[in-house]
């Protein structure tokens, strides 16, 4: 199983970016999908969560500016980020709770991260 994140880049304050994350491999079902971010020198922090049924939760400053969504048929999760601020600069990671075919217990997998840089 692999998670591949994309969509990061350099944007001016107030701008928008849309991150994507594709899960591939021996996947039976994906339950929870998350976006985390990590600022240099700080711990990785949870940004947003979405369940398989589409229930969402946002942490901190993401509330009201970011939108998490997913496409279960494509095993994709997205993060639409609007009104970006310099303090949103971080490496963003996708994370998913995946049950593989033939397994009885799911586990969490991480993507490789995509850099988001917001200039002032």
């Amino acid at each position: 199983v692999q998670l591949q994140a994309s969509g990061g880049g350099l944007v001016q304050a107030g701008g928008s970016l849309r991150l994507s994350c594709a899960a591939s491999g021996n996947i039976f079902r994906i339950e929870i999908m998350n976006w985390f971010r990590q600022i240099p020198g700080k711990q990785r922090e949870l940004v947003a969560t979405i369940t398989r049924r589409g229930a969402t939760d946002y942490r901190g400053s993401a509330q009201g500016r970011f939108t998490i969504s997913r496409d279960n048929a494509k095993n994709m999760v997205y993060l639409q980020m609007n009104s970006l601020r310099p303090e949103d600069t971080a490496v963003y990671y996708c994370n998913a709770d995946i049950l593989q075919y033939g397994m009885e217990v799911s586990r969490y997998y991480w993507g490789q991260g995509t850099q988001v840089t917001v200039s002032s």
Side-chain angles (χ1 to χ4, degrees), residues 17-108:
L17 280 175
R18 187 189 192 217
L19 305 183
S20 300
C21 178
S24 62
N26 181 35
I27 298 172
F28 174 67
R29 186 175 65 245
I30 303 177
E31 297 294 345
I32 303 294
M33 303 187 86
N34 303 302
W35 284 100
F36 284 76
R37 67 185 181 187
Q38 189 165 21
I39 299 168
K42 294 190 176 183
Q43 286 190 335
R44 196 171 295 187
E45 63 177 5
L46 178 62
V47 174
T49 296
I50 186 166
T51 68
R52 182 171 181 80
R53 293 187 176 184
T56 59
D57 182 61
Y58 300 91
R59 299 296 177 89
S61 64
Q63 183 74 44
R65 297 189 300 127
F66 295 0
T67 302
I68 188 171
S69 60
R70 64 189 285 173
D71 185 330
N72 291 332
K74 296 180 179 179
N75 291 331
M76 298 281 296
V77 63
Y78 308 96
L79 187 67
Q80 177 67 42
M81 303 186 294
N82 298 329
S83 301
L84 282 162
R85 307 166 181 169
E87 53 264 40
D88 295 317
T89 295
V91 178
Y92 284 73
Y93 297 89
C94 55
N95 169 264
D97 182 19
I98 296 174
L99 179 64
Q100 295 189 59
Y101 284 100
M103 302 295 285
E104 295 183 353
V105 179
S106 64
R107 56 156 286 194
Y108 279 92

